[in-house]
Amino acid sequence: MRTYFILIFCAFGSLVYPQDHCIVRADISYTSSEKEYKIELDRRQNVSSLILYKLSSERKSYNIRDKNRIDELRKKNWKTAEEHRELEEIRNRYKIFDKDSILISNNSKTFKYSDSLLFHSETILEEKLNQPVYSDAMFVEIYENGLQKYKVYNPQTDIYSIVYYFIQSALQEYWQKVSKPILTKDYTSIN
């Protein structure tokens, strides 16, 4: 019943949200491991691309300016959220991702869930007020055209269900179309 409600919710969102060209991205990482991947939906008018990225390595040699700034930030023990965010931005510039992509129909569930991610973000942010705290969790950041819309912890079928179903739907569609996926079920923890 809950899944049926979410699909109706998604269908309504797809009728209201403009569909010319938009890029929706979910960056997924885990607090207990180095696993990290991204799901990007490049939404076009007729056919869209689903692009998946998997963290393969991280260059360890920073340029001099970045190295000096990292050393400076580490000495401060990341006193503010802004300093921590700056450190993460520097680290992200040195990450190397494997990439794979497929074409998907604009009638797919993944496309409809992406509408809901964008159009119903207020609902998701309201859920965030009652968000439980996990020490070992999945961390998801949602972006629209490169700008962060919101971030959530541990999306599941009962909390942040739209985020969960977007990720699940995208991965299942990818696994159905690719014979040798770069992202496997055990890596993603979503089936």
Side-chain angles (χ1 to χ4, degrees):
M1 180 69 174
R2 184 171 175 84
T3 305
Y4 181 72
F5 174 72
I6 289 172
L7 284 174
I8 290 172
F9 197 57
C10 292
F12 175 72
S14 67
L15 294 174
V16 179
Y17 199 81
Q19 298 180 7
D20 295 348
H21 180 243
C22 177
I23 297 175
V24 179
R25 192 179 81 226
D27 290 3
I28 300 113
S29 59
Y30 296 85
T31 56
S32 63
S33 71
E34 295 294 316
K35 293 180 183 179
E36 187 175 332
Y37 61 99
K38 301 176 185 192
I39 298 172
E40 182 175 284
L41 180 60
D42 187 352
R43 299 164 43 116
R44 302 282 175 160
Q45 200 163 21
N46 297 324
V47 175
S48 297
S49 299
L50 183 63
I51 307 158
L52 290 100
Y53 302 87
K54 177 184 176 186
L55 180 66
S56 61
S57 64
E58 192 172 332
R59 292 180 300 204
K60 297 298 179 188
S61 58
Y62 297 107
N63 68 34
I64 293 172
R65 190 179 96 224
D66 287 343
K67 183 177 178 350
N68 289 340
R69 184 62 182 149
I70 287 172
D71 291 343
E72 187 179 310
L73 290 169
R74 285 188 175 150
K75 287 177 188 172
K76 291 182 177 184
N77 293 325
W78 314 317
K79 299 281 187 216
T80 67
E82 185 61 38
E83 290 171 339
H84 180 67
R85 191 173 14 260
E86 184 182 354
L87 182 65
E88 283 302 306
E89 286 174 9
I90 293 171
R91 282 192 63 226
N92 285 337
R93 288 196 297 259
Y94 291 86
K95 291 180 178 178
I96 300 168
F97 288 87
D98 293 333
K99 178 180 172 182
D100 202 358
S101 65
I102 60 171
L103 294 177
I104 66 167
S105 164
N106 289 356
N107 295 325
S108 72
K109 285 183 185 179
T110 304
F111 194 89
K112 288 176 175 48
Y113 286 131
S114 73
D115 282 341
S116 294
L117 285 177
L118 301 177
F119 185 70
H120 302 291
S121 60
E122 294 81 20
T123 305
I124 294 168
L125 293 174
E126 284 175 19
E127 279 185 274
K128 193 170 183 165
L129 297 175
N130 299 320
Q131 176 177 324
V133 177
Y134 297 95
S135 60
D136 180 21
M138 176 194 296
F139 177 65
V140 182
E141 296 175 272
I142 302 295
Y143 293 86
E144 177 184 8
N145 294 325
L147 299 173
Q148 185 183 72
K149 289 195 62 90
Y150 50 86
K151 48 188 162 185
V152 299
Y153 291 95
N154 233 28
Q156 300 171 15
T157 57
D158 59 342
I159 185 167
Y160 311 125
S161 53
I162 294 171
V163 175
Y164 177 84
Y165 287 123
F166 170 75
I167 295 168
Q168 181 190 45
S169 175
L171 290 171
Q172 286 179 350
E173 194 156 358
Y174 171 70
W175 290 328
Q176 288 174 358
K177 292 184 178 181
V178 176
S179 60
K180 294 183 180 179
I182 61 170
L183 286 173
T184 58
K185 292 179 181 181
D186 61 326
Y187 188 87
T188 64
S189 76
I190 291 184
N191 296 315

